[in-house]
Amino acid sequence: MTTVLKAACHCGKNTFNIKLTTASLPIVNDLCHCSSCRHSTGQLTVNYIRFDGVPLTPTSADSDQPADLSNLTAYNATGVATRWFCSTCSAHLFFEVIGDKYWCVAVGSLEKAEGIVKNEYHIYVADTIDGGIADQIRTVDGFELPRYIGPLEEGKVVPLGWRNDGVINAKRDLETLAFHCRCKAISFTVTRPSAASALPYSAYPDLLLPAHSTDASKVKNPDDEKWWLRPLGAEKPTKYLAGHCACTHCRLTSGFEIQSWAFIPRANVLVSSESGASPTILNLKDEGQRPKGLVQYKGSPGIREFCGTCGATAFWWSEEKQDLLDVSVGLVDETQNGLRAEGWLEWHKERIGQQEEAVNKALVSAVAEGLKALV
Ligand SMILES: [Zn+2]
Ligand SMILES: [Zn+2]
Ligand SMILES: [Zn+2]
Ligand SMILES: [Zn+2]
């Protein structure tokens, strides 16, 4: 028997059927933390499952017609596998393994996760340098996830709280925190909070004040609190707030269940137009000054910015909030301060933004519980 599922992106240009052997469900699967996955998506971890055959047109459940992939961009950095993402909204849909000829689908793009996928182990945790989000995803559905440093076959694990201090210590004191996508078309640096960091105004994100249960006037931040600067209320803040989002928009524009953002004033995000040029403040509005290779998706709500070559999510912003950016933490140069960059970012542990919208509830609850265990 075959189970047919729909996979789709946010903008609606891509909808596919994929087939799974019903007897194989739920598929026991990894969460991958490798540098290649993180930097080509902007996520802290990615989640793909293998399916039968190739992507199919969604005309009918029993259609066996291979799908038209012309609205997807292919990115193949290694010759081993091709990543396919939506050219319009950046959602990663497929991971095609060339040699063994099989296809995997990004789980966040699926209409359903329950009964389909069971995340039972972490792989390539060593690439994160500090354990990354694997430290926050400890137990899924009562099952404790082992943390493999490389592929499953190697069988070597690291304990919770593992860090590669040798790597971190070498670059710990750099004055800026670097970010880059897999193909390096998009790279930028972040500076420490300055006087300019307190100038933007922003309503509270759902991460801090859940919109569904908070009075709307309070969400608007009437006291103009600079909630993104940390420690909160410090005279001289040194860090930025970071947190995870499980909203439908993030899920369907990335293809994955958990999008991790750092809230950083635009004044603190610097780019160099060419190597050797002195860096300038990131400008996303003026066509002539936007980083080359950055593609915009204006899908409500707000504007998502991603690398047109490798598909990595870089920023989210909106007209109302153009001087405070959501920066995709998966692009952080993990060799500097570890992937969680805790010398720069203060992670919100009490809540995941819009966690009620999660489709893969088991995974998102696992992150929420793992975060609370750190409080
Ligand atoms: Zn799309
Ligand atoms: Zn990977
Ligand atoms: Zn790129
Ligand atoms: Zn979101």
Side-chain angles (χ1 to χ4, degrees), residues 24-38:
S24 70
L25 302 178
I27 295 172
V28 171
N29 192 45
D30 62 80
L31 290 165
C32 186
H33 302 260
C34 83
S35 295
S36 181
C37 282
R38 283 184 283 105

Side-chain angles (χ1 to χ4, degrees), residues 129-350:
I129 311 298
D130 65 357
I133 197 173
D135 276 26
Q136 299 167 357
I137 309 175
R138 301 174 180 192
T139 306
V140 178
D141 273 341
F143 186 87
E144 200 174 324
L145 276 60
R147 321 144 63 72
Y148 294 103
I149 61 173
L152 174 69
E153 305 77 68
E154 266 180 34
K156 285 190 203 145
V157 293
V158 283
L160 184 69
W162 166 88
R163 287 161 62 88
N164 188 338
D165 278 322
V167 171
I168 290 175
N169 289 340
K171 294 205 214 167
R172 186 193 295 273
D173 297 327
L174 288 182
E175 282 175 16
T176 56
L177 182 64
F179 292 71
H180 66 86
C181 68
R182 176 75 169 86
C183 76
K184 303 238 170 111
I186 308 303
S187 66
F188 54 94
T189 55
V190 165
T191 56
R192 292 283 179 188
S194 55
S197 315
L199 296 178
Y201 154 80
S202 172
Y204 289 104
D206 188 272
L207 177 76
L208 295 180
L209 290 183
H212 68 85
S213 61
T214 314
D215 189 74
S217 62
K218 210 173 157 197
V219 172
K220 283 186 186 148
N221 189 6
D223 296 334
D224 195 15
E225 185 178 44
K226 308 303 178 184
W227 50 263
W228 53 93
L229 298 177
R230 300 288 159 141
L232 190 61
E235 199 177 318
K236 274 195 172 282
T238 54
K239 298 186 187 185
Y240 302 103
L241 178 70
H244 307 306
C245 185
C247 80
T248 303
H249 179 266
C250 284
R251 180 172 60 79
L252 290 179
T253 50
S254 69
F256 304 103
E257 298 94 330
I258 301 149
Q259 165 74 52
S260 308
W261 296 116
F263 302 94
I264 302 178
R266 197 170 60 81
N268 296 94
V269 181
L270 304 181
V271 286
S272 299
S273 52
E274 50 202 75
S275 60
S278 46
T280 54
I281 292 174
L282 173 72
N283 184 332
L284 294 170
K285 288 200 86 171
D286 301 320
E287 206 43 58
Q289 295 189 47
R290 285 174 49 81
K292 289 187 181 47
L294 197 62
V295 177
Q296 224 169 47
Y297 171 56
K298 291 184 179 169
S300 176
I303 300 166
R304 208 166 174 104
E305 306 270 2
F306 64 98
C307 173
T309 303
C310 70
T313 293
F315 308 106
W316 182 89
W317 60 287
S318 66
E319 291 293 341
E320 303 79 57
K321 198 176 82 79
Q322 47 185 282
D323 287 324
L324 180 66
L325 305 174
D326 291 15
V327 176
S328 202
V329 184
L331 301 187
V332 93
D333 175 0
E334 66 281 351
T335 65
Q336 202 176 324
N337 199 242
L339 176 57
R340 294 194 309 273
E342 284 170 337
W344 285 81
L345 305 177
E346 185 181 301
W347 288 88
H348 190 64
K349 300 190 177 78
E350 289 74 17

